[in-house]
Amino acid sequence: MTDEQERVQPSGVWATAVGVARVRALETERVDALFRDPLAQAFATAGGLWPSSPPPADEAARRRRLAVSFSIVIRTKFLDDLLRQASASGVRQVVLLGAGMDSRAFRMDWPEGTRLFEVDTSAPLDFKASVLRQERAVARCERITVAADLREDWPAALAAAGHDPAAATVWIAEGLLIYLPEDAVELLLARISAQSAAGSRMGLTLGSRGVIERFGADAVPGSAASMWVSEMPDDPVRWLAGHGWEADSHTLRERAAAYGRPVSTPAQREEQPGGLVSAVRR
C-alpha cells in the first residue's frame, strides 16, 4: 500500500496546518518571498488544497482570508528570525509545539548539534511523515518527533524523547494558543517555563484583541476561525513577566512594514499591544 493510500486526511484543528502550508507555498512562489518553504506545496497537495482551494463565498469572506494569509506570512518570517537569533546566541534545543506542517527542520540552516523536537498528536505527525517520505526530505538538524496531546502530560513525553531542561531551549507556539481556552494557555505556559533554563527563548503568536468578534462571529463551521477561543491578554509583556520571561510584543502592521510588506489600509482602531511575541528566560 502506498503512502497516498495509507494517508489519513486532515480533520479538526490540525487540518488548519495544511491551510497554513498552502499559504506558505503561495508565498514561496513570489519573487520577493519573505521565506521559501519547498515542502509546503507537497503538504497542501496531500491535504487537497493545491493547486487551489474553494473561493470564499462573498467579498467579506475573501478579505478575511487575505488578512489571515497575510498574518501567516508575517508571523512565519518573524519566528524564522527569532530562531536564527536564538541559534546565534548558542541555543541548540528547539521545541515546536503543535508543529503541524512546519518544515523548519528541513528548510533552515542549523548549527551543528541542534536538536529540534516536533510535538503534536499522532495524526498530523503520521500524515506529515508520509509526505516527507514521498518527497525524500532530509532534515538539516537532528529532528525528533514527539506524539503527545498538549492537553495532557506532554513534558514527560518530551523528556522521554531526550529534551534536556537544564539546557537552554527555544520554544515556538505558532498559531496554537488561539485554539486553547485561557486555562489551557496558562497551563501550557507554566509547563514551558518549568522546562526552561536561563537563556531560553520563546516565540508566540497570540490572537489580537477583538479578532474572534471580527473573524469568528460568522465563520463557516469547521473553518479555522470557527475554532478560535482565546485572545491575548491586554498586556502580554506583563503577563509573561509574571511567568519569568522578559518579553517584547510587536504588531503585525509594525513587522510587516519592517519586512518591506507594509499594510496598505489605515488602522481601523488604535494600535494595541501586538500578537507577535519574543521572550527570554532570565
Side-chain angles (χ1 to χ4, degrees), residues 229-261:
V229 295
S230 178
E231 296 179 352
M232 71 180 187
D234 290 329
D235 188 343
V237 172
R238 183 177 179 182
W239 171 60
L240 286 169
H243 286 274
W245 295 85
E246 185 177 303
D248 292 304
S249 72
H250 308 269
T251 65
L252 190 74
R253 184 177 293 270
E254 167 202 335
R255 287 294 84 203
Y259 302 149
R261 195 75 65 82

Side-chain angles (χ1 to χ4, degrees), residues 3 7 15 18 59 81 97 100 105 108 110 115 158-159 164 166 183 198 201 210 240 249 264:
D3 277 336
R7 192 177 294 143
V18 179
E59 180 61 21
D81 288 352
L97 296 169
M108 293 180 66
W110 298 100
R115 309 181 80 203
L158 184 61
D164 180 7
D183 58 344
R201 308 293 182 97
L240 286 169
S249 72
S264 58

Side-chain angles (χ1 to χ4, degrees), residues 23 27 34 37-38 49 59 85 107 109 133 160 167-168 183 190 193 196 215 218 226 235 252-253 266 278 281:
V23 173
E27 177 67 15
L34 295 181
D37 187 343
L49 295 184
E59 180 61 21
Q85 291 160 6
R107 69 175 177 82
D109 294 322
R133 285 193 299 270
D183 58 344
S193 301
S196 297
F215 286 75
D218 57 352
S226 72
D235 188 343
L252 190 74
R253 184 177 293 270
S278 60
R281 185 76 164 168

Side-chain angles (χ1 to χ4, degrees), residues 6 14 28 35 62 87 112 114 132 158 229 233 247 252:
E6 293 179 340
W14 81 265
T28 298
F35 57 85
R62 187 188 73 83
S87 292
E112 185 176 352
T114 298
L132 294 173
L158 184 61
V229 295
L252 190 74

Side-chain angles (χ1 to χ4, degrees), residues 15 22 54 67 72 119 147 184 205 241 268:
R22 178 181 181 274
I72 289 169
V119 184
T205 63
Q268 297 295 310

Side-chain angles (χ1 to χ4, degrees), residues 64-79:
R64 286 195 296 270
R65 175 184 281 189
L66 288 174
V68 171
S69 297
F70 185 78
S71 71
I72 289 169
V73 169
I74 300 304
R75 82 187 194 198
T76 300
K77 166 66 172 168
F78 174 78
L79 294 173

Side-chain angles (χ1 to χ4, degrees), residues 210-232:
V211 70
I212 293 176
E213 179 184 350
R214 297 197 306 276
F215 286 75
D218 57 352
V220 176
S223 66
S226 72
M227 294 181 275
W228 293 349
V229 295
S230 178
E231 296 179 352
M232 71 180 187

